[in-house]
Amino acid sequence: MQQLTFLPEQRFEWREAPTPVLGSDHEAIVRPVAVATCDLDRLIVLGVMAVDRPLPFGHECVAEVVDIGDAVTSVRPGDLVSVPFQVSCGQCGTCLRGHTGNCETTGPMAMYGLPGNNQGGFLSDVVRVPFADAMLVPIPAGISAESVASLSDNIADAWRTVGPALAEQPGAPVLIAASSASIALYATAIALALGAERVDIVGGNSFLRGKAEALGANLLDKQFPRKAGTYPITVDASSDVAGLQCALRSTEAEGVCTSIGIYFTETTSLPLLEMYMSGIRFHTGRAHARTAMEPALELVRTGRLRPELVTGETASWDDAADAVAAHRSKLVISRPTLTPSGSQVPA
Ligand SMILES: [Zn+2]
Ligand SMILES: [Zn+2]
């Protein structure tokens, strides 16, 4: 089969790879039909995050099920499903606690389209899913594959920054320190969908600020101030130490700050004394995608979240190599389903 592969000198090429086949009764073979770039993909393409190559590429997708093992009960061929970027068994103690990114069966770095224990990329003819019932999330009727292509990672990642905190403090205002990443935009839309009184954006490039304002956010300073106010819920989606510090200092006493930013060089520049005196809760870490996918998808199903508004670029499957190499914002690559519209569970 053909697989889009990231190569030295930042090149992409469709390369021949062995076609995956069912390896157990619990597996599925799926055919990606809408693949999105993750915010991290742009850093990989730009060389900000160094990766070993050749690297099969793509780790956010909606796919059509083409084959299932005898023990699979939750999906059947033709179904449209979201595939989490992390492989998880759904049955070990860690998975049962919702920490599906650290599955004990597969190890924490079993992922599609990323370095670590690479399971193949979603920009492939077909992909093998080792634990179909545990991993695959059916897409309800009426939701297009393209609109939720990022559910596998970035939409789920955004949900965890505000969903649990807003459940604890309904209606609370939210501050998001942003750069150029789509997660800040999804977090904006999700916070407003969940009833946040308002979402304030600090930082961000012009493209992000324009999109954020269209989604309903208030725009604060473009540069990160020392402190942007006092908020019960703050998010650092900046990957910028000044943005992280601003979010931490802007978190009110006993409030919660979640950072999805990846800091490739170690920083000790945290305002620990202020954090101590305020008693804030600070969380950083990889998303547990599978756990966060369903509550985020429910917001889409009920019409409260429209992730397609975050998409900045689209391309056809045939143009994927050039489109991925040049992408600057959320890119969605798609191709037709084999069945007329894919089969979807009733909404
Ligand atoms: Zn990602
Ligand atoms: Zn597990």
Side-chain angles (χ1 to χ4, degrees), residues 38-41 59-60 85 114 153-154:
C38 163
D39 293 340
L40 190 55
D41 287 338
H59 65 271
E60 298 190 334
F85 80 101
L114 286 168
D153 181 0
N154 287 171

Side-chain angles (χ1 to χ4, degrees), residues 28-40:
I29 301 295
V30 303
R31 176 180 176 271
V33 294
V35 175
T37 52
C38 163
D39 293 340
L40 190 55

